[in-house]
Amino acid sequence: MAPPRILVVGAGFAGVECVRRLERRLAPGEAQITLVTPFSYQLYLPLLPQVASGVLTPQSVAVSLRRSRRHRTRIVPGGAIGVDTRAKVCVIRKITDEIVNEPYDYIVLAAGSVTRTFDIPGLLDNARGMKTLAEAAYVRDHVIAQLDLADASHDEAERASRLQFVVVGGGYAGTETAACLQRLTTSAVRHYPRLDARLIKWHLIDIAPKLMPELGDKLGQAALEVLRKRNIEVSLGVSIAKAGPEEVTFTDGRVLPCRTLIWTAGVAASPLIATLGAETVRGRLAVTPQLSLPGADGVFSLGDAAAVPDLAKGDGAVCPPTAQHAMRQGRVLADNLIASLRHQPLRDYVHKDLGLVVDLGGKDAVSKPLGIELRGLPAQAVARGYHWSALRTNVAKTRVATNWMLNAVAGDDFVRTGFQYRKPATLRDFEYTDAYLTPEQIKEHTASAVIKH
């Protein structure tokens, strides 16, 4: 009899941690493991702002999935665009655009999240995100290009609009992105003798009344002071009313000449979740504390795509979409899946949050490890130490440490690679949120699938 087929969707923190544990703990031949992902690497997402600012190279945060000595997982290069839980078939669009059916006995939905957007005129056509490696590389090129074009321009209005930068989202991603890229432009302007450094202006806006409220009032205020000391204009209680190619309109009525809008206003669960027709909590799949989907045989979910009950907090709370939860959920889910295979009892996921770290670049950071509030160099040491230790391979750790050391000694680099410079890219060009199937289309694709148990 053929061994059970385990299909893992997504190669983020949750999916990769699950696959690695399955490879370690399953006996050879006990199950077939398949991983669906467009790229054969795990992206260390928290360090993307440092890729955008050039402190780290893209390769250093893309951890290869094939380096493990225990690697025996079949990788399907593509993305899941629909799941039929009754037929036990996942519909996959390969990177060649070929659509195939992948039958399974157990499926792990670790599809992660996409950038959350709203119905704001011009947003999808004119904003860039900070959710993928390609986006970070593109944003870096775009920002440096604005300096190049402003330096070459004789039009004062054009120059002014190219030197205004807007980041929307006062969470970790937005705050770190604004802080890191502001340091890049501040360092770069010394190499542009025709540019007035005072014309370069970064804006960080958020509809919330506080910056990073999860950090608490003291550390949130400390981060705000760091940003304002660097002349980053922080506007709270404000969002975008309209986005154009050369100007942005704020909800408070201000109209800002601007050609760079970076949108980091939160995340939403992958659209794949909606194809299941199951119960959700704010778009995330409602699962049990054992990470299984009620009423669906062999279906598990975790990470950003799932609303996992936070038993450590209680009161109906769900785990926040952070890397530390995703990684630990991956281990528990792998153990529970193996327990299901071996007809053993499953265990609940319980984890108390270890704290938060925010790297603002240079010597600036705020951190709250185990509830202890830190700022400045001690916070920076904790932030970088945490990120460094969380990298999965020694090769990745070496690359990141070398990049940090080189940046500290040699300073910032301002090379523009020319990535997609002939075609401006936007949110929809990187995250493919329109690629998913409707439930009716899924049934059409799975109707002819031959399921072999």
Side-chain angles (χ1 to χ4, degrees):
M1 188 173 70
R5 297 161 297 190
I6 299 173
L7 182 64
V8 180
V9 176
F13 290 102
V16 170
E17 199 67 29
C18 178
V19 167
R20 290 292 176 244
R21 199 168 183 95
L22 289 173
E23 288 181 332
R24 287 194 298 270
R25 299 203 168 185
L26 283 172
E30 190 173 0
Q32 297 174 354
I33 308 170
T34 300
L35 176 64
V36 181
T37 175
F39 311 105
S40 59
Y41 62 75
Q42 177 193 358
L43 176 64
Y44 193 85
L45 196 64
L47 292 177
L48 274 189
Q50 294 190 40
V51 173
S53 64
V55 173
L56 298 176
T57 61
Q59 190 179 13
S60 62
V61 300
V63 185
S64 173
L65 298 178
R66 300 184 185 274
R67 277 190 172 271
S68 171
R69 283 176 291 181
R70 295 186 179 90
H71 173 70
R72 55 189 171 94
T73 297
R74 169 177 165 247
I75 297 177
V76 179
I81 57 175
V83 179
D84 187 335
T85 56
R86 291 187 178 182
K88 287 197 169 184
V89 171
C90 180
V91 184
I92 298 170
R93 187 190 301 273
K94 291 186 176 180
I95 57 175
T96 58
D97 279 337
E98 178 190 1
I99 296 179
V100 298
N101 293 329
E102 186 71 33
Y104 65 83
D105 296 299
Y106 296 89
I107 189 169
V108 176
L109 298 173
S113 57
V114 296
T115 301
R116 181 181 60 183
T117 58
F118 301 98
D119 189 19
I120 298 172
L123 178 66
L124 292 177
D125 293 321
N126 297 291
R128 286 90 185 173
M130 189 59 63
K131 196 75 174 68
T132 69
L133 191 59
E135 279 180 309
Y138 177 82
V139 166
R140 170 176 166 76
D141 266 21
H142 174 81
V143 168
I144 297 173
Q146 300 316 298
L147 299 182
D148 290 341
L149 291 166
D151 183 67
S153 177
H154 297 290
D155 186 328
E156 292 301 322
E158 178 191 357
R159 181 176 291 194
S161 69
R162 293 196 183 280
L163 297 180
Q164 297 267 16
F165 304 91
V166 176
V167 179
V168 182
Y172 306 110
T175 302
E176 290 186 336
T177 296
C180 291
L181 286 173
Q182 185 272 339
R183 288 190 79 249
L184 172 66
T185 55
T186 299
S187 299
V189 75
R190 296 194 300 267
H191 302 272
Y192 293 84
R194 297 180 67 250
L195 291 184
D196 184 347
R198 293 171 296 182
L199 293 177
I200 299 177
K201 190 69 177 179
W202 282 87
H203 302 260
L204 176 63
I205 70 171
D206 195 288
I207 196 66
K210 294 181 180 179
L211 192 71
M212 295 183 293
E214 300 89 343
L215 282 173
D217 291 342
K218 288 185 179 179
L219 286 186
Q221 184 62 33
L224 184 60
E225 290 172 2
V226 168
L227 298 180
R228 286 179 169 163
K229 188 176 179 180
R230 293 192 195 169
N231 293 320
I232 297 175
E233 185 172 319
V234 181
S235 301
L236 300 174
V238 177
S239 189
I240 296 294
K242 185 169 64 174
E246 296 183 11
E247 67 178 25
V248 173
T249 303
F250 293 173
T251 52
D252 60 7
R254 283 180 290 165
V255 178
L256 187 74
C258 169
R259 307 205 187 193
T260 305
L261 173 61
I262 302 173
W263 181 267
T264 63
V267 296
S270 166
L272 176 68
I273 299 306
T275 71
L276 276 73
E279 181 185 352
T280 59
V281 178
R282 294 184 180 180
R284 300 167 72 186
L285 199 60
V287 297
T288 68
Q290 297 84 33
L291 308 173
S292 63
L293 179 63
D297 180 42
V299 180
F300 296 83
S301 187
L302 72 168
D304 292 8
V308 180
D310 193 341
L311 300 183
K313 288 185 178 179
D315 296 325
V318 297
C319 297
T322 61
Q324 63 175 286
H325 277 291
M327 293 170 70
R328 287 163 177 80
Q329 288 169 12
R331 297 167 197 156
V332 171
L333 196 154
D335 290 344
N336 282 347
L337 205 159
I338 294 171
S340 295
L341 286 171
R342 298 171 181 172
H343 307 290
Q344 297 171 348
L346 279 59
R347 67 185 176 99
D348 292 346
Y349 172 75
V350 184
H351 170 65
K352 186 176 181 181
D353 207 305
L354 297 177
L356 305 164
V357 295
V358 182
D359 189 336
L360 299 174
K363 300 177 182 178
D364 297 319
V366 289
S367 300
K368 197 175 182 179
L370 303 175
I372 302 170
E373 296 186 347
L374 301 172
R375 64 188 71 183
L377 279 176
Q380 183 65 280
V382 170
R384 294 203 169 181
Y386 171 78
H387 290 316
W388 184 85
S389 63
L391 290 164
R392 192 171 48 79
T393 67
N394 290 330
V395 172
K397 290 180 179 180
T398 302
R399 283 178 176 150
V400 167
T402 302
N403 285 173
W404 279 338
M405 190 179 305
L406 184 61
N407 181 260
V409 173
D412 293 311
D413 172 61
F414 317 116
V415 173
R416 177 164 53 90
T417 63
F419 178 54
Q420 279 199 325
Y421 77 102
R422 299 289 295 178
K423 179 187 175 185
T426 58
L427 282 170
R428 67 179 83 195
D429 295 316
F430 289 110
E431 300 192 37
Y432 307 105
T433 52
D434 57 350
Y436 296 86
L437 301 180
T438 64
E440 292 74 21
Q441 290 172 322
I442 293 170
K443 288 180 181 178
E444 289 178 11
H445 282 282
T446 59
S448 60
V450 178
I451 309 299
K452 297 180 181 179
H453 293 283

